Amino acid sequence: MLPIKLADPAQRYSATALKSGLRLVSSNASTPPRIGGRPIHATGPAGNPLLRTYPDGERTQALTELVGRLLSQGHDAEEVVQIAQDWNMRQNPPLDVDKVWRTVESLAKTDARNHPERHKGPLTPLFDIADANIDLLLRTSPSPRRWLLRDMLPLGIVGMIVAPGGTGKSQFVLQMGVTVATGIPLCDVWQGGERGTALLLLAEDEIDEVHRRLDRIITELSPSHPAMAADLRKGLFIKSLTASNNLMTRAQRRGDVEATDYVDRLLLTVAGIPDLKLIVIDPASRFRGGDENAADDTTRFIEQLERLRHATGATVLVCHHANKASMNPMTGTRGQAATRGSSAMTDGVRWQLNLSPPAKEAKAGLDATKHYLSAEQTKSNYGPPIDAEILIRKPNGYLIGLRASGVPVTLEDRVLQLIRDEAALGKSYSANQIENTFGGEGGSLKAGMNSVRKAVNALLNVGKIRRDRGKLVAMPNKPITSATDAGSIP
């Protein structure tokens, strides 16, 4: 039997002395048995579980209770194994030795998980202070900022796209993946930065729906980018993860949140992807456990995204749902406050873009027959703020920027185009005729007569149309853009 240190750290005890000290043999001593300086509480020989023997059928339960009691008193697993083995030798017949080991090992793991305060090791430094020396930073020039989307989205950060359900965030990130793989501007607005490979992990969309959306994007862009299919084969990977467990963090029974092995497995999966530049996680709710309103639980999830970013060097974008208060275009909460759950989500990421229906003031004057989406950068730790963009959802679902659409959008645009189209047919109208013929309920301009009058006056004021013998004439060589500059719409 191996000797174990008792109260005197300088003395080694024999098996006989150990048993005597633990009251495994008769003793007249009045003090309770001790190990490692801690008493093993008992009511006397008759009530001491170390001295009792148990019949067949009760020994396993008695062993479990003994081991649990010893662990709860703060004895370490090595001590408990020795005591349990000594107890087992008193049983007739004894349990299998391996079973005793397994019982202690299993209960010790459970105790460590449920009571970490009893298993604290010695304190160690957080890091080597030499690693915080800034001498290298003072002697060298910083590397230039690298961009995934030029001057808009940096490469190698954790970012977030926030949107209400059904708004268009999945379409948006799919087009972003196409941009990374091909270099085609995102929504015809944002220029691509470094090209590379994009991996989209989509836990809400089935692969059939992804197929339809991708086909529509290719149909939209391939006439002007004939090589895009070849670029997409090399640079775009999409995995539908519906109906599967994708949790990067999981709530434990004691309430706190711990990381799963998901990120480690994902890193093994992407190890063979060349030049990985973008990883999309859509949506956050399918990849995180715990309470989304708890800051600590949210931070544990952000840490897993940061591990993924650090290991791959890619930009990691997580899609997250907006809160209910932000969904009302009239009174909705905007900016960083639109994020659902704890504000630790916004605090933890380095970049955030909100997609939402345009606010009431932004929609004023826009063609009510079209579908719009506001893209607002609400957080960027690495660059100046950029203006919000109004995106148009085309009938095929493709998102294109208002300024890049090349089609009449505002009421002024449509009035100007109407005058030109009618002139091509040999027809001309006065201001009152435009108002009465095409405005009002049922009019092709889909706007009230007063609004049409204001649009005509705005076009006259900026010189895009003029009066010729009472009739309105469009000025030549004028681009079809809003008289109020669509780019200034908030």
Side-chain angles (χ1 to χ4, degrees):
M1 182 182 300
L2 294 175
I4 292 182
K5 292 183 179 180
L6 295 179
D8 184 359
Q11 183 176 352
R12 310 289 288 188
Y13 289 81
S14 67
T16 302
L18 175 63
K19 290 183 179 181
S20 177
L22 295 174
R23 295 184 68 180
L24 298 176
V25 296
S26 298
S27 172
N28 294 325
S30 60
T31 57
R34 305 172 70 87
I35 186 166
R38 294 183 295 273
I40 301 175
H41 301 291
T43 59
N48 188 342
L50 295 172
L51 300 178
R52 291 185 58 188
T53 58
Y54 297 86
D56 190 22
E58 296 182 14
R59 291 192 302 277
T60 299
Q61 179 64 27
L63 173 64
T64 300
E65 292 177 357
L66 172 64
V67 171
R69 184 179 297 111
L70 293 170
L71 291 170
S72 69
Q73 294 173 3
H75 300 286
D76 64 38
E78 183 179 344
E79 292 174 336
V80 175
V81 166
Q82 186 65 69
I83 298 170
Q85 294 289 18
D86 287 336
W87 171 89
N88 189 44
M89 291 176 61
R90 297 179 60 82
Q91 308 306 311
N92 186 21
L95 296 168
D96 184 77
V97 173
D98 287 340
K99 182 174 183 177
V100 176
W101 277 96
R102 291 194 300 270
T103 299
V104 175
E105 182 181 35
S106 175
L107 291 179
K109 288 181 179 178
T110 300
D111 190 71
R113 184 169 60 250
N114 294 336
H115 302 281
E117 71 281 358
R118 295 204 285 252
H119 299 266
K120 291 181 179 179
L123 293 178
T124 58
L126 285 175
F127 54 85
D128 186 345
I129 193 62
D131 294 338
N133 189 290
I134 66 167
D135 181 65
L136 180 64
L137 304 184
L138 298 175
R139 291 187 290 104
T140 60
S141 299
S143 58
R145 172 71 58 199
R146 299 171 65 185
W147 298 95
L148 192 68
L149 297 175
R150 193 181 307 167
D151 299 326
M152 190 248 199
L153 175 59
L155 178 65
I157 65 162
V158 174
M160 178 168 61
I161 295 177
V162 177
T167 301
K169 64 181 183 302
S170 297
Q171 174 74 26
F172 187 84
V173 296
L174 187 55
Q175 290 184 213
M176 184 180 292
V178 170
T179 293
V180 173
T182 66
I184 298 172
L186 175 60
C187 300
D188 290 21
V189 173
W190 298 288
Q191 297 294 318
E194 296 190 26
R195 286 179 57 180
T197 305
L199 171 64
L200 277 53
L201 303 178
L202 309 179
E204 285 187 328
D205 294 313
E206 300 288 347
I207 193 62
D208 287 346
E209 179 58 28
V210 175
H211 190 181
R212 284 186 283 268
R213 291 176 180 171
L214 183 61
D215 182 69
R216 292 193 291 262
I217 293 173
I218 293 173
T219 300
E220 176 75 26
L221 297 176
S222 58
S224 54
H225 301 87
M228 71 174 298
D231 291 335
L232 291 176
R233 285 190 182 93
K234 295 184 298 182
L236 182 59
F237 292 81
I238 303 172
K239 178 63 176 176
S240 173
L241 294 170
T242 58
S244 61
N245 184 348
N246 301 295
L247 293 183
M248 296 181 177
T249 58
R250 179 182 290 113
Q252 303 300 308
R253 282 188 296 178
R254 64 179 181 269
D256 58 342
V257 165
E258 292 183 352
T260 68
D261 63 358
Y262 193 90
V263 168
D264 296 311
R265 294 170 58 206
L266 181 56
L267 290 174
L268 291 174
T269 303
V270 304
I273 297 181
D275 201 21
L276 185 59
K277 291 291 198 304
L278 173 65
I279 300 173
V280 171
I281 306 294
D282 181 23
S285 59
R286 297 291 186 99
F287 290 85
R288 55 161 297 176
D291 182 358
E292 71 175 5
N293 295 307
D296 286 348
D297 294 2
T298 300
T299 301
R300 299 291 84 76
F301 175 60
I302 293 294
E303 288 169 354
Q304 294 307 299
L305 301 180
E306 290 173 340
R307 283 189 60 217
L308 189 57
R309 175 208 64 80
H310 181 75
T312 62
T315 293
V316 177
L317 282 185
V318 58
C319 296
H320 189 41
H321 290 107
N323 57 45
K324 291 182 179 179
S326 69
M327 298 182 188
N328 189 325
M330 306 287 287
T331 62
T333 303
R334 301 281 163 164
Q336 296 182 13
T339 307
R340 194 175 76 182
S342 171
S343 60
M345 196 76 168
T346 289
D347 295 340
V349 300
R350 302 293 86 194
W351 181 91
Q352 179 177 327
L353 183 79
N354 290 10
L355 298 176
S356 61
K360 178 182 178 181
E361 59 270 19
K363 293 180 68 174
L366 296 179
D367 184 353
T369 65
K370 292 181 169 57
H371 299 283
Y372 302 97
L373 193 61
S374 173
E376 179 189 10
Q377 181 179 284
T378 58
K379 180 177 181 179
S380 178
N381 287 51
Y382 305 106
I386 62 174
D387 293 334
E389 290 284 346
I390 298 296
L391 307 178
I392 303 174
R393 186 193 295 273
K394 301 182 74 172
N396 62 2
Y398 185 80
L399 296 172
I400 185 170
L402 177 72
R403 289 178 292 176
S405 64
V407 298
V409 175
T410 67
L411 182 56
E412 290 95 330
D413 290 341
R414 291 181 284 127
V415 168
L416 179 59
Q417 189 65 41
L418 173 69
I419 293 171
R420 286 181 170 151
D421 291 343
E422 292 295 308
L425 298 174
K427 301 177 182 179
S428 60
Y429 302 86
S430 67
N432 286 337
Q433 288 173 329
I434 290 286
E435 177 184 331
N436 294 323
T437 304
F438 303 101
E441 185 176 355
S444 61
L445 288 173
K446 306 295 183 183
M449 290 188 287
N450 186 51
S451 296
V452 173
R453 184 183 309 118
K454 290 180 179 179
V456 169
N457 289 335
L459 292 170
L460 288 168
N461 290 338
V462 297
K464 292 190 174 181
I465 60 175
R466 63 181 177 84
R467 286 190 173 89
D468 183 6
R469 288 177 289 185
K471 303 294 185 179
L472 299 178
V473 178
M475 299 300 292
N477 302 321
K478 293 288 184 179
I480 304 176
T481 56
S482 168
T484 56
D485 184 7
S488 66
I489 295 176

